Every structure is written in structure tokens, then in C-alpha cells.
Amino acid sequence: MEAAAAGSEESGAAEGPVGTAAGREDGGCEGLWELPVEHCVRRAECGRCRRPQKVCLCPFFPVHPLKVSTCLYIIQHPAEESRVLRTVPLLTACLPGDKCKVLIGRRFGEDRYPELAAVCRNSNTLILYPGAEAANLEEVALIFPSPSTIIIIDGTWSQAKDIFYKNSLFRLPKQTGLAVQLRFQGRSRRNKSFLHRLQDTGATRAFPVQLKTSISSQYVIRTQPTNTCLSTLECAAIALAIMEKNDGIQETILRPLQALCSFQLQHGAQIHHSKEHLLKNGLYDKPMPKNKRKLKRMELLVNNVKI
């Protein structure tokens, strides 16, 4: 009897609080349904640059698109399209639509991209890609005919490398690359001699050029491999200034990039030093890669060896 009574008391003690809590819970839910719903209001955006009006970049774009004779083809890796802080939209806002064309993808075949294939076959086409066969763009501009076309690959360095080597349209025949090297290694050869040699090789592809500059990137809100690695917009600005022989073009195109970085830093973004800078100053806080090839590349960065 006592045991039964004790059990009854324990059972009642257990059920009481639970039942009370359940009652409160039901009552609370009924009250919540009666509360007004707050609608989320998006910040007002600029119709041109698609940025919040408080940080609109339109005042930093040229009033009218820049007049240039050089045409740019931006080959953009699909991963770049989803990034918020991209530089290609800033570039296209500065140039006429027919002078800056963006193609997105990883593989570019002649059947699917006949216009690009025709551009790559044109002897007046350059592709901005550093490498052993790449000539200095400043020297090429002295003898290259105008108007010309420049192809720029937009993506990380590994993505750009993948696009360049896995698309035959962008690769230069070896003999043409050799002609370019012979021209710029020769101490007394003249421009006409080079042009004749280039024509004799039957160049039917764009040949690679590179920017030999010590300018540090102003795109400080994104990490670069080295201090002199430049964003797509910066490469395009320098290349156009060289080909058009007008330094004002570079200043105009860089203006919205400078404003973008300034806005981001004012709203909490941090300056991103290059991987080279972090390694040299013992500030690299990520785990070192186990891949021997990647480790070797990091050693080269620390030792100031061009990679």
C-alpha cells in the first residue's frame, strides 16, 4: 500500500510539470501566430552597377565609354561569374560593348565558338599569358599593326592555366613562338626583319605576350600569389594603355577598382596581402600543402624566383 502510494505520488509529481509546460507551450504558439510578420526590405540598388546606392560605383565610371581601337576578349572561368567582388563588370562598364566581349566557359571549340576561332586565327591577335614563349607587350606594341585584339583569361592562376593548355585555339605553334623569341633576343635586328620572319613561319594563331611591370596590384581585397600579380581589370587597363599609347586609359579604368576597394575597406573588409608577402614575413597561417609540387612553388615564392 505504501509502495503503491509512493508510486502514485512520484507519478503525479512527474506528470504535473510536464502537463503545465505543455499547456504553456500550446498557449505560446497560439500567441505567436497572432504576431505581425516583418517583411524583409532589400537595400535600394543602382540599376547600372547593381550595387547598393550607398556604395554605387557609377560616379567613378567614365561618362562615355572610352574610345579605343583595340578589342578585348575576356575568357572567363565559370567560377568567376558567381563571385561578388569581380573586376570584369567594372571593365565592361568602361568600354564600348563591341570592344570588350566576355565569353564564359572552360572549353572553347571551333564549332561552338566560330567567332572566337576566327579571332584566334588572325595574325593581329595577342593572348595575354605569361610563359617562356611570351614576349614583352611593350616591345610588341611598337611593331604590331593596329587595330588589334587581345585575349585575356579571367580566373585564378590554376584556372587560367587549365583553360590555356586545354584549348588548342589559344596555343601558339612552336615555330611562331620561336620567331618571337628570336626577335626580342636579337640585339641588332630591326622591326621589319622580325615581321618578315614572323610571316615566313606562317603564323595562324594568336601568340602570347606578357606585362613586364613592377606595379603592385591595387585589388587589395583579394589575395594574389605574388605582389606583382594583377587582376583582370588591371591587366586590361595596362594592356590598353600600351596598345593605344595613352596612359590616361589606365587611370580611367583603374578608378572604379580603387573606389570598390575603398568602399569595402570602409565597411569592414581587411587588406589581403599576397601569399608571397605572407610567406616571407611568417604570417601564412594556413596548413602547408603536402603536395611536393605546391611546396616547391611556395619555396620559389619565398626565394624571389619567378614561377
Side-chain angles (χ1 to χ4, degrees), residues 133 168 171-179 201-208:
E133 294 183 340
S168 58
R171 291 201 305 276
L172 176 72
K174 293 182 179 180
Q175 63 268 27
T176 307
L178 179 60
T201 61
T204 57
R205 289 289 190 276
F207 64 87

Side-chain angles (χ1 to χ4, degrees), residues 76-297:
Q76 188 177 82
H77 191 278
E80 287 294 317
E81 188 181 12
S82 60
R83 292 186 182 275
V84 178
L85 303 175
R86 297 174 292 158
T87 64
V88 169
L90 307 183
L91 176 63
T92 57
C94 295
L95 300 172
D98 62 335
K99 295 298 181 181
C100 186
K101 302 180 181 181
V102 181
L103 300 178
I104 302 171
R106 293 184 177 87
R107 302 293 175 262
F108 297 87
E110 295 192 27
D111 295 338
R112 188 175 179 183
Y113 297 91
E115 179 183 349
L116 179 62
V119 168
C120 291
R121 290 194 189 97
N122 194 324
S123 60
N124 290 357
T125 299
L126 306 170
I127 180 165
L128 195 61
Y129 189 85
E133 294 183 340
N136 184 354
L137 180 59
E138 289 190 19
E139 297 182 354
V140 172
L142 297 175
I143 58 174
F144 216 71
S146 181
S148 57
T149 301
I150 300 179
I151 298 173
I152 303 176
I153 303 176
D154 179 42
T156 64
W157 287 97
S158 59
Q159 291 168 350
K161 183 177 180 180
D162 179 75
I163 289 176
F164 181 77
Y165 283 105
K166 292 187 178 180
N167 288 278
S168 58
L169 286 179
F170 305 138
R171 291 201 305 276
L172 176 72
K174 293 182 179 180
Q175 63 268 27
T176 307
L178 179 60
V180 173
Q181 286 185 310
L182 288 174
R183 155 64 182 86
F184 292 111
Q185 288 175 357
R187 296 185 177 89
S188 60
R189 293 187 178 91
R190 295 189 176 184
N191 295 343
K192 290 183 179 180
S193 174
F194 162 66
L195 289 175
H196 291 154
R197 290 171 62 84
L198 190 59
Q199 293 170 355
D200 291 341
T201 61
T204 57
R205 289 289 190 276
F207 64 87
V209 292
Q210 59 184 317
L211 300 174
K212 293 194 175 181
T213 175
S214 58
I215 298 175
S216 295
S217 175
Q218 299 183 44
Y219 192 28
V220 295
I221 56 176
R222 187 169 174 182
T223 304
Q224 304 289 355
T226 69
N227 296 330
T228 56
C229 288
L230 304 175
S231 66
T232 301
L233 177 139
E234 290 171 309
C235 290
I238 296 173
L240 284 174
I242 292 174
M243 297 302 293
E244 302 290 323
K245 299 175 178 59
N246 183 352
D247 292 337
I249 291 177
Q250 180 178 336
E251 297 175 4
T252 301
I253 295 179
L254 290 181
R255 197 172 296 129
L257 176 65
Q258 295 164 351
L260 170 66
C261 293
S262 177
F263 284 146
Q264 293 303 123
L265 294 175
Q266 290 173 18
H267 290 79
Q270 299 295 319
I271 292 179
H272 288 226
H273 294 289
S274 69
K275 187 181 292 186
E276 175 189 20
H277 174 87
L278 297 176
L279 288 170
K280 288 182 177 180
N281 292 276
L283 302 174
Y284 191 76
D285 56 358
K286 295 182 180 180
M288 297 300 286
K290 296 181 180 180
N291 185 290
K292 292 183 178 180
R293 180 178 59 82
K294 292 183 178 179
L295 278 173
K296 183 64 176 179
R297 289 175 65 87

